[in-house]
Amino acid sequence: MPETTPRAPRGPSGLAFGGDYNPEQWPRDVWDEDARLMREAGVNLVSVGIFAWSLLEPAPGAHEFGWLDDVLDLLHANGVRVDLGTPTVAPPAWFYRAHPDALPVTADGTRFSFGSRGAICHSNAGYRAAAADITTRLAERYADHPALAMWHVHNEYGVPVSACYCDSCAAHFRRWLARTYDSVDALNEAWGTAFWGQRYASFAEIDPPRATPTVGNPAQALDYRRFADATLRENFVMERDILHRLAPGVPVTTNFMTALSQCDSVDYWAWGREVDVVTNDHYLITDGRRTHVNLAMAADLTRSVAGGAPWLLLEHSTSGVNWQPRNPAKAPGQMARNSLAHVARGSEGALFFQWRQSRRGAEKFHSAMLPHGGTDTRVWREVVELGAAVEALGAVRGTRTEADVAVLWDWQSWWAQNLQWHPSEDHDPRERADAFYEALYDRHLTVDFAHPEADLSAYPLVVVPALYLMTEAAGANLRDYVENGGTLVVSYFSGIVDEHDAVHDGPVPGPLRDVLGLTVEEFNPLPAGGGVRLRGPGGAELTGDVWSEFVVPRGAETVWTYTDGLVAGRPAVTRNRLGRGTAWYLSTRLAPGALDVLLGAAAEDARIAPRAALPRDVEVVRRSGDSGSYLFAVNHTASDAKVPLEAPGTELLTGERAAGRLVVPAEAVRVVRLDG
């Protein structure tokens, strides 16, 4: 990307506030009302044109830009900047009549039909040419428009279709494999094709991992996940480079879905390096979990994909969504609390899907900034209040969220872990990541996520909740980290296979053997509903489930021991001193509350001082930068909370002075700009 490309939307001097705007769904006379109400709500940025290809090009080569000209001119006249979409997520009906082979094919041979969104074979040459053409025409027309703040390529890559298995993809996959492996002999070695007689004599013999009578080659399936992700990214880069060339100096993004509850098909570490501005969409998953913990985790993960830099929340909901089995409304005040929790963790604003609630189509029951009920509604009043709050926090723009610990996460390891035929279907890497994050959240520690091969030297504590696939380089990285004084916590079934899903040579856990000071002779997954008891220092007891192991210490000390089952008397939790640091290993699944015992001991090793007493579900996060230091206190409880302040300051939402202890009202947010 050009060195001069901004890393934030052009225009808003403070934080961004707004949402997806789809004027094409409404008569022309509604647009003026929209502009007036946007001013009333404090909107300064909207996303436009994301699904408008059929209106911009109603027939092949016949373009109608006049309506979009009017929209951008109207928004500019009312002080609203535009995140302008390339509409390549939804090709028109005429395109599919000309290119029926651009509709994706599933692994069992079913070809999807037109009539939804994202039904695209990203290897299809016709699609690539058409996408490049509409992107070029938009850039040529709007590169210099004064409303343009940022380009928005496509929409939510990887959802709903992440991979196609058609013949075009098969040919593309073979070319990708030839570039990746150089020779078919190297591929045979990496894939272990001697097993079940799957050896290939040429790349031409290889197909995508389509439906087979029983489990196919896991290394092939893993590589196909990588190929599919890389193919999506190729198309993004194609559009991005067109926009950079024709509209230099205007940042380009695409909206991520980093929450582990929302998208599992995209390697966001790789994508984060390709966008000018990291943006994210986040929606609460109402599955009985503490939704604000999932929100915090997604925000921390997005900030980490951005390399710690500020990012932008491009979509979330004002209230209920429409695509879950049950879609409850948000409670009064929850919209603002959710929005400002994202800001606390690095977002440079809060945008929603969408501005005006649709009357037609699949998302007509999805909440919006301007509901069906209009301005005499609770949601609208809360939107206006939130707009004022976001404006009041403009000074935090450009500051960075300060983290306490790191959690290692790797999407490719997740893909490998989710392949078939593993020791237990009950082990879920996402569940382990959620559990460890929740335990750290409840200790009031702010988390950065990191790639296993990243520099970890800034973190006193690093946690590995689920890293089944681990390269030798990652193992060496963790050893260096511990030897140089770091504290490491590793959960079970980590360090098992290499990047080709081959078990590392020698005893499990492969590249972690030395740093953990142990080997694992055998896995012992537990039956459904089964448990195992652990006894630790002072006779304390814990209960694990899902998993246990026959652990053999090779220098590590046993801290907790199994007291029943096949593993009775064996180590359950170990601690190994290596160089100037320590490494902990947990060989069973503990719930977040029980994990706190282990993390508390590891935090003591890491010299992380206990946080001041805070109620559960009151999060305190700090952003700092050239403009000052800001303490965000988010109270998710039904009672007022008192948060200790290390220095006096000014609370930005009320204008009041604060010193000693900050009172945060029930279900509210306070932000203090600390003196000094």
Side-chain angles (χ1 to χ4, degrees):
M1 60 192 67
E3 291 296 329
T4 57
T5 302
R7 307 292 292 186
R10 302 188 311 170
S13 57
L15 300 181
F17 185 63
D20 280 34
Y21 182 40
N22 298 288
E24 64 270 23
Q25 298 179 15
W26 301 93
R28 177 65 180 81
D29 59 357
V30 174
W31 300 359
D32 292 325
E33 180 186 31
D34 285 334
R36 177 180 62 80
L37 292 176
M38 285 180 189
R39 291 199 310 272
E40 181 178 331
V43 168
N44 59 14
L45 180 66
V46 294
S47 300
V48 174
I50 297 168
F51 295 100
W53 195 343
S54 63
L55 297 175
L56 294 169
E57 190 176 7
H63 297 92
E64 295 184 4
F65 292 115
W67 68 271
L68 187 56
D69 293 347
D70 291 346
V71 169
L72 267 60
D73 290 347
L74 176 65
L75 292 169
H76 175 62
N78 284 273
V80 180
R81 302 300 290 266
V82 172
D83 169 38
L84 185 56
T86 66
T88 51
V89 69
W94 61 255
F95 169 80
Y96 287 113
R97 287 181 63 85
H99 301 278
D101 56 343
L103 288 163
V105 175
T106 64
D108 65 3
T110 300
R111 188 179 291 277
F112 288 117
S113 298
F114 173 76
S116 182
R117 69 175 191 182
I120 298 164
C121 167
H122 281 268
S123 296
N124 184 268
Y127 169 75
R128 291 187 172 204
D133 180 72
I134 189 65
T135 299
T136 298
R137 292 178 184 274
L138 284 166
E140 289 173 341
R141 190 173 188 93
Y142 298 110
D144 296 322
H145 197 287
L148 182 62
M150 182 167 62
W151 292 105
H152 183 305
V153 170
H154 205 267
N155 184 74
E156 295 177 346
Y157 280 99
V159 177
V161 177
S162 61
C164 172
Y165 296 81
C166 72
D167 290 341
S168 292
C169 288
H172 192 183
F173 183 45
R174 294 178 196 121
R175 294 191 294 271
W176 183 87
L177 291 172
R179 293 194 304 270
T180 301
Y181 289 104
D182 294 328
S183 72
V184 74
D185 288 341
L187 178 142
N188 282 315
E189 176 64 23
W191 284 11
T193 56
F195 185 80
W196 282 358
Q198 296 174 2
R199 186 171 182 82
Y200 298 103
S202 72
F203 288 110
E205 296 177 351
I206 302 172
D207 283 325
R210 295 165 173 155
T212 52
T214 186
V215 175
N217 187 325
Q220 179 186 14
L222 178 58
D223 263 350
Y224 204 75
R225 296 291 296 266
R226 292 172 173 139
F227 158 75
D229 178 54
T231 302
L232 299 177
R233 204 158 56 249
E234 283 177 14
N235 283 355
F236 168 77
V237 168
M238 173 193 69
E239 292 190 45
R240 181 204 66 194
D241 288 352
I242 291 170
L243 297 169
H244 277 166
R245 176 171 55 84
L246 296 175
V250 180
V252 181
T253 191
T254 186
N255 44 341
F256 295 168
M257 299 186 73
T258 62
L260 305 187
S261 55
Q262 293 179 190
C263 183
D264 66 354
S265 58
V266 172
D267 181 356
Y268 285 116
W269 293 126
W271 282 79
R273 295 189 292 268
E274 301 294 349
V275 296
D276 298 324
V277 183
V278 168
T279 64
N280 195 52
D281 297 352
H282 182 264
Y283 294 97
L284 302 181
I285 304 299
T286 53
D287 59 359
R289 307 186 191 203
R290 297 157 71 198
T291 56
H292 56 277
V293 180
N294 175 275
L295 184 158
M297 182 176 178
D300 284 344
L301 189 49
T302 307
R303 183 186 68 253
S304 302
V305 166
W311 53 280
L312 181 60
L313 176 66
L314 208 54
E315 287 185 28
H316 70 313
S317 66
T318 57
S319 192
V321 297
N322 70 307
W323 38 265
Q324 299 182 80
R326 287 157 292 280
N327 298 286
K330 289 185 177 180
Q334 188 179 0
M335 178 206 308
R337 197 165 64 252
N338 290 165
S339 301
L340 299 183
H342 281 290
V343 174
R345 295 177 185 272
S347 178
E348 296 283 68
L351 283 76
F352 297 90
F353 180 84
Q354 60 180 321
W355 162 253
R356 182 182 284 269
Q357 194 168 15
S358 299
R359 291 185 56 227
R360 299 174 176 84
E363 295 185 293
K364 56 184 171 289
F365 298 119
H366 191 296
S367 61
M369 300 175 78
L370 183 60
H372 292 310
T375 57
D376 189 19
T377 56
R378 173 179 68 89
V379 166
W380 172 255
R381 288 187 286 272
E382 290 194 22
V383 164
V384 174
E385 292 172 3
L386 176 59
V390 169
E391 183 178 11
L393 298 180
V396 307
R397 178 173 173 166
T399 61
R400 294 192 173 214
T401 301
E402 298 178 2
D404 303 299
V405 301
V407 170
L408 298 195
W409 180 256
D410 182 19
W411 278 274
Q412 296 193 25
S413 178
W414 193 15
W415 300 343
Q417 173 64 78
N418 287 339
L419 297 172
Q420 295 171 287
W421 285 14
H422 282 169
S424 174
E425 65 178 14
D426 295 327
H427 170 58
D428 179 353
R430 178 202 154 188
E431 182 279 332
R432 284 292 80 193
D434 286 345
F436 273 90
Y437 183 90
E438 185 173 351
L440 292 165
Y441 178 97
D442 284 341
R443 295 187 69 83
H444 302 286
L445 297 173
T446 302
V447 171
D448 273 350
F449 287 84
H451 187 275
E453 296 179 17
D455 180 7
L456 304 172
S457 59
Y459 304 102
L461 175 63
V462 170
V463 175
V464 181
L467 204 56
Y468 163 76
L469 183 156
M470 179 180 287
T471 63
E472 291 288 348
N477 189 42
L478 293 182
R479 180 185 177 111
D480 289 345
Y481 167 75
V482 173
E483 285 183 329
N484 287 307
T487 300
L488 178 69
V489 176
V490 178
S491 185
Y492 67 88
F493 209 42
S494 293
I496 308 302
V497 300
D498 66 12
E499 59 269 34
H500 303 297
D501 198 50
V503 175
H504 285 284
D505 190 28
V508 169
L512 290 173
R513 287 190 298 260
D514 292 343
V515 70
L516 296 176
L518 56 82
T519 58
V520 176
E521 286 188 346
E522 194 173 1
F523 306 130
N524 183 46
L526 302 176
V532 63
R533 290 180 294 178
L534 293 66
R535 180 171 293 122
E541 293 190 350
L542 295 173
T543 300
D545 63 7
V546 171
W547 195 273
S548 64
E549 294 176 342
F550 293 89
V551 174
V552 179
R554 310 284 184 182
E557 62 176 303
T558 299
V559 183
W560 289 75
T561 303
Y562 291 113
T563 61
D564 59 4
L566 289 179
V567 291
R570 296 271 188 159
V573 177
T574 62
R575 177 174 180 266
N576 188 50
R577 296 181 184 273
L578 184 68
R580 295 186 287 112
T582 57
W584 293 77
Y585 183 64
L586 170 63
S587 62
T588 188
R589 190 178 82 161
L590 299 180
L595 282 174
D596 183 68
V597 177
L598 170 60
L599 292 173
E604 187 175 336
D605 277 350
R607 297 179 178 83
I608 297 175
R611 292 296 186 260
L614 287 170
R616 190 171 189 252
D617 294 327
V618 175
E619 56 185 277
V620 176
V621 183
R622 187 162 169 164
R623 287 184 64 161
S624 297
D626 292 343
S627 66
S629 184
Y630 303 86
L631 184 140
F632 285 74
V634 185
N635 185 357
H636 298 284
T637 77
S639 302
D640 293 355
K642 294 181 179 179
V643 174
L645 294 176
E646 62 188 62
T650 301
E651 204 289 306
L652 297 181
L653 300 179
T654 64
E656 298 175 354
R657 291 291 295 171
R661 288 185 179 272
L662 171 71
V663 176
V664 185
E667 300 175 333
V669 179
R670 291 292 180 261
V671 183
V672 177
R673 180 174 184 170
L674 301 173
D675 294 345

